[in-house]
Amino acid sequence: MDFSFTDDQLQFRDAVRTLLDDRCPPAAVRSAWTNETGRIEGLWARLADMGVLGLMAPEERGGLGMGEVDLVLLLEEAGRAAVPDPLLEHTAVAIPTLSDAGVCADVVDAAVSGAVTVTVGLADAGPYVLGAEQADHLLLERHASLHLVDAAAATITPVSSVDDSRRLGRVEFALDDAQLVSDDPRARSLAFDRGALGAAAQCVGVAQQLLDVTVAYVAERHQFGRPVGANQAVKHHLANVALAIEFARPMVYEAAWCIATGAEHRSREVSVAKAMASDAVDLACRRALQCHGAIGYTIEYDLQLWLKRGWALAAAWGDSRRHRRRVAAALQLA
Amino acid sequence: MDLTFSAGELAFRDEIRAWLASNLPTEAMASMDTPAGFEQHRAWERVLFDAGWSVPSWPRLFGGRECSLVEWLIFEEEYYASGAPGRVNTNGITLLGPTLFAFGTDEQHERFLPAMASGDEIWAQAWSEPDSGSDLASLSTTAVRDGDHFVVNGQKTWCSRGAWADWIFCIVRTDPGSERHAGLSYLLVPGDAAGLTRRPVGRLDGEPAFAELFFDDCRVHESNLLGGEGDGWSVAMATASSERGLNLRAPGRFLAAADRLAALQRRLAASGAADDELTDQVASAWMKAHAYRWQTYQVASRLQAGGTIGSEASFMKVFWSELDVELHATALRLLGGDGEVVDGPHGRDWMSGYLFALAGPIYAGTNEIQRNIIAERVLGLPRK
Ligand SMILES: Cc1cc2nc3c(=O)[nH]c(=O)nc-3n(C[C@H](O)[C@H](O)[C@H](O)COP(=O)(O)OP(=O)(O)OC[C@H]3O[C@@H](n4cnc5c(N)ncnc54)[C@H](O)[C@@H]3O)c2cc1C
């Protein structure tokens, strides 16, 4: 039993944090709200250079040949920085799914190098596909099989998200235009678990960021001649957020390990992780807003970037109720 | 990261599981919170001790088997999963024991640890006073030096099983002019000391398991001082961190309760009486027990790698105590009108468990105090 990360894994996380502090500050996220693509200029290429995009691709495809335990910390950082690109879809789901199936090697190569973006749409993950219009390829589900479709061959209808940097699309495609990736239900189930895990990791990152900025704010903001954070009602709100994160986070790490090792209860553990992470980020959003007061309710103030990302991610890849239902089914409670 | 158990850990699990299967008491015991049940549970402690299971993580010298922290967590999982009796000497073994190891002299180790491990001496904690609950540092029981003795005067209260315990660990004020955290000392007092009067007080669950202690010129030898004179607060805080964190309430008991809750839900589902909303609540409570398990293994890994646990213990205290309430409250919701019935084997019915669980957010430092600690010491929010 060793529930810890290696120094290498932690250093990789620190390097990604440094990159995101530099390339993905709130002003950059804000620009993705209004620009053409909903993405951050130059960030994708930098993530490719660092090996993040291809982290899970085999070495012979130019990847790092690593797994979910290595990736989970990086996705937490992506949540913390509110990275708007479809990083989890591309890195945590599309590349390993295509690599496992041993198909579309050219797409994997281009995805690892950052030359293309591959996004994902699975039936259980929600009705919309993130970044569909901006992506080059789409990994989509039809009749429990997985298919790869060129974005140009699909019909994409844009849908507005509460988070304008999340460019959603409703996607239709003809099977004739698609290449079969896998008709093995286990591949579909694994792809879903990978996506739900990635979303859970991002939820924890968003929640931690909301907690950190709110702690800093309430220590600074004064009313009645003292910091508002000296009031017990405020303290307890934030202690509750810290508690929710403290117990969701190990489940996210444990679920990552379960996927990486093909553990018996993998899907159940992923669902525990996503349910707890969704609940944690939802609480963090609401308490962060309350503890900020009206300034948090403005569009100018950056808090809203994380609030909206948090709410979107809490529901993406299955909301907490849906994942609890999966846990209940795994435990044969119903 | 490797979340599998080693061959040694698996063998350890098999060993304790097999031992419990063939050694569990066959007759139900009375509650350990009654005089008769207290003695029945003492006898069970002896059975555990003779087989080397009463204090598995302790040194062999004092009756343990020097198991690792992870093995101890495994022990707790197996212990509670088997339905074994509650541990009547928990306050000794998990609260005072670690404090003795850290602050006791060699003589104190030899004098107290073996008898604690065997259940020959069962301990109670006497910290709270009528006017000092959450604000423990305001306590006023005094212990004034007289040669090689301390003379104790004052009153303690809410002392669990304190009317029958063999020994009592107290915090007292040894510097009469002192205030707050200064001038306190940690004193070990025999239950039959002259000048100590003990009175049982009925608890919410009906058992006479609280005690009020009255010290009236009670003389205690200086060899019973644990840590330095005047160092009582820092010694006490070491006990408190055991109480809040890993030691007092390992995940095992909550995992066992979560499994019983899941079994209850399955029985109802099989008879067609399951309800979507309650099923969701059962899943939610089960998940939290599971999360407490993994959070604990994560903390254990950190401790085994040489890390420490300080104020973070407050996360665990709040979480396990509220989890316990949730598990029992959910079961009572499933039971509906049957929930108020308390005629099961003692302490195994959900209502009795609920009444006990409700004390969790109060003892070991109330959850309001724990949230203050999380906010101020973990998050760094301003005190004033
Ligand atoms: C079942 C049970 C067993 C116990 N066993 C023992 C034992 O063996 N030995 C022992 O010494 N004690 C024992 N206790 C006592 C326990 O330690 C105290 O109850 C606890 O410290 C709280 O003190 P109090 O009851 O005086 O409540 P108070 O301190 O009077 O608190 C009353 C309420 O006010 C709140 N409050 C107080 N101060 C603050 C603050 N600063 N901020 C926010 N809220 C605050 C509390 O959280 C609580 O809700 C036991 C208690 C119970 C219920």
Side-chain angles (χ1 to χ4, degrees), chain A residues 232 236, chain B residues 91 125-128 132-135 157-160 203 210 359 362-366 368-369 372:
Chain A
Q232 204 169 65
H236 286 196
Chain B
N91 284 354
Q125 174 187 29
W127 291 12
S128 304
S132 300
S134 298
D135 186 11
T157 190
W158 318 133
C159 180
S160 294
R203 283 191 325 204
F210 275 145
I362 300 175
Y363 64 73
T366 71
E368 288 74 25
I369 297 295
N372 292 348

Side-chain angles (χ1 to χ4, degrees), chain A residues 1-5 218 230 232 235-236 240 243 246-247 251 254 257 269 321 324 331-333, chain B residues 1-5 9 265-266 280 286 290 294-295 301 315 319 368 371-372 375-376 381-382 384:
Chain A
M1 179 61 59
D2 170 19
F3 201 145
S4 64
F5 291 94
V218 300
Q232 204 169 65
K235 285 180 179 166
H236 286 196
N240 286 335
L243 272 158
E246 172 74 14
F247 289 88
M251 290 317 303
E254 191 257 353
W257 184 85
E269 300 302 292
R321 177 73 199 245
R324 277 199 302 276
L331 295 173
Q332 296 171 309
L333 295 182
Chain B
M1 187 175 296
D2 177 4
L3 304 185
T4 54
F5 293 104
E9 287 160 349
Q265 160 74 18
R266 277 184 216 113
D280 188 57
W286 184 91
H290 198 61
W294 285 109
Q295 190 264 3
S301 284
F315 281 127
F319 198 81
E368 288 74 25
R371 285 184 163 89
N372 292 348
E376 290 168 9
L381 289 176
K384 289 199 182 64

